[in-house]
Amino acid sequence: MVERTGTGAVLTPAEEAKRVDGKMDLKAEPKPDVKADGRPESDAVAKKKAKFRDDKHFKIFSGSANRALAEEVCKFVGVSLGESKLQRFSDGEVYFQLLENVRGADVFVIQPTCNPVDQHLVELLIMIDALKRASAGRITVVVPYYGYARQDRKDRPRVAISSKLVADLLTTAGANRALLVDLHAAQIQGFFNIPVDHLFASPVLVGHYRDLALPNLTVVSPDAGGVERARFFAKKMEAPLAIVDKRRTDLNVSEVMHVIGDVKGRTALILDDIVDTAGTLVKTVDALLAEGATKVYACATHAVLSGAAIDRIANSPMEGLVVTNTIPLREDGKGLDKIKVLSIAGLLGRAIESVHMETSVSTLFL
């Protein structure tokens, strides 16, 4: 299987406006850039996109893990996706080739390490190596979902700290900088010996729920580890906070113990970073309803949704689950009305612009 990414030569706005049925029309007048909703973009935005479009030392490439997100980011920034060829040999080995010059360029590689995790991780490492050997000026790995993030400490005897290993692999392969989204544990940033920008999807989620204006809202953390994340979210929503005390009995298995905080007669919003098997999520929903919550909503950044997660969500009494597109939604989840996907392409696009222009990224953390 061969996958070719990118769209080839980049035209100026004036040239693009003159294209008619694939040919150049010298009589056509240039048209202003437009947004996705059809409205003309502001002059400032159009000038910004033109600046990046004309910058030959600014390039974005994508692996196969989430090409749709990479294309959204490129559309937001105003550049074309880099030309490359990705191929797998009959034995499963990855072959990657750059189809354009990157010498001295500031390159961003977008690749979440989602399922199949190992395949996408190795693919990313090979892409980094190819860029390094092609003399890219700087390589920034944009990892919307950081696989192995939950293996961040020795919680049992004789186990690996896999998230540290992944950080070492990315650095050794040749990454100069990392751009990550909603790490399971913020201290994973310390596993890297290169600069790390840790973004949060909360601005996207907060904006969505502010528009919904849920009555008598209480934000709920499904475990003690997510309290800081939930507290920040609750502050932005001007809502009280509740915590669910749970005990994990085995891998991917947890038992909800009790709810800390008042949810009786209130609308509960569960906030988590990852929804994996959805076992913890549905048990949390049941516990909140048993404590008197009138309605329960849920949101998370990373929709891993492995195993029977889709069936559990479909059969759960929760009102709905909102996730972001850091990971492509499973096919059997796309037809489920309970699941809504929000895009973080704008968030990533602004971060990439800031890194390239050497301006502050800190405003995106808030």
Side-chain angles (χ1 to χ4, degrees), residues 56-59 61 101-108 134-139 356:
K56 303 303 181 185
H57 286 83
F58 174 56
K59 297 182 183 294
F61 289 89
N101 180 29
V102 296
R103 185 178 297 274
D106 190 11
V107 180
F108 296 81
S135 301
R138 181 174 66 176
I139 304 169
H356 177 62

Side-chain angles (χ1 to χ4, degrees), residues 42 45 47 73 80 96 114 145 211 228 235-236 278 302 308:
S42 67
V45 172
K47 288 179 180 178
V73 171
S80 296
F96 177 78
C114 50
Y145 171 69
D211 291 340
E228 184 178 353
K235 183 178 179 181
K236 291 293 183 181
H302 310 297

Side-chain angles (χ1 to χ4, degrees), residues 239-253:
L241 175 67
I243 305 167
V244 175
D245 176 33
K246 73 177 183 181
R247 181 172 300 169
R248 193 168 292 280
T249 57
D250 201 351
L251 296 176
N252 294 120
V253 179

Side-chain angles (χ1 to χ4, degrees), residues 246-356:
K246 73 177 183 181
R247 181 172 300 169
R248 193 168 292 280
T249 57
D250 201 351
L251 296 176
N252 294 120
V253 179
S254 64
E255 178 184 354
V256 171
M257 303 300 289
H258 62 274
V259 178
I260 304 172
D262 183 20
V263 296
K264 187 174 182 179
R266 301 186 65 83
T267 302
L269 173 59
I270 303 168
L271 173 70
D272 210 347
D273 61 322
I274 299 172
V275 177
D276 191 350
T277 63
T280 297
L281 177 61
V282 297
K283 288 179 181 178
T284 303
V285 172
D286 292 340
L288 292 169
L289 291 173
E291 290 292 323
T294 55
K295 291 183 178 181
V296 180
Y297 295 80
C299 63
T301 303
H302 310 297
V304 176
L305 301 179
S306 63
I310 299 297
D311 290 336
R312 290 192 179 111
I313 293 168
N315 298 322
S316 170
M318 80 173 76
E319 299 296 320
L321 170 66
V322 174
V323 296
T324 73
N325 60 343
T326 57
I327 299 173
L329 187 63
R330 277 171 45 175
E331 286 299 322
D332 54 346
K334 291 179 179 178
L336 187 60
D337 292 337
K338 277 190 175 182
I339 301 178
K340 180 180 178 63
V341 181
L342 304 179
S343 177
I344 63 161
L347 180 71
L348 289 177
R350 286 190 292 272
I352 288 172
E353 289 173 354
S354 294
V355 171
H356 177 62

Side-chain angles (χ1 to χ4, degrees), residues 172-249:
T172 301
N176 304 115
R177 191 180 192 97
L179 186 60
L180 313 174
V181 180
D182 266 328
L183 289 168
H184 185 64
Q187 58 266 31
I188 289 175
Q189 298 172 78
F191 291 165
F192 288 85
N193 293 320
I194 56 176
V196 174
D197 293 305
H198 183 203
L199 302 178
F200 302 98
S202 53
V204 177
L205 296 171
V206 166
H208 173 74
Y209 283 105
R210 278 179 176 168
D211 291 340
L212 288 183
L214 299 176
N216 300 319
L217 181 65
T218 295
V219 176
V220 180
S221 173
D223 54 38
V227 170
E228 184 178 353
R229 181 185 305 108
R231 183 185 294 117
F232 176 84
F233 196 92
K235 183 178 179 181
K236 291 293 183 181
M237 294 297 297
E238 298 181 349
L241 175 67
I243 305 167
V244 175
D245 176 33
K246 73 177 183 181
R247 181 172 300 169
R248 193 168 292 280
T249 57

Side-chain angles (χ1 to χ4, degrees), residues 121-167:
L121 175 59
V122 171
E123 192 177 290
L124 176 58
L125 295 172
I126 290 174
M127 292 175 70
I128 295 170
D129 187 72
L131 288 163
K132 179 179 67 176
R133 296 178 189 280
S135 301
R138 181 174 66 176
I139 304 169
T140 301
V141 289
V142 182
V143 187
Y145 171 69
Y146 187 83
Y148 290 102
R150 286 170 284 183
Q151 300 182 46
D152 60 343
R153 64 192 184 281
K154 289 191 67 174
D155 56 348
R156 298 182 184 185
R158 299 173 296 280
V159 297
I161 303 179
S162 305
S163 56
K164 165 61 175 170
L165 175 61
V166 171

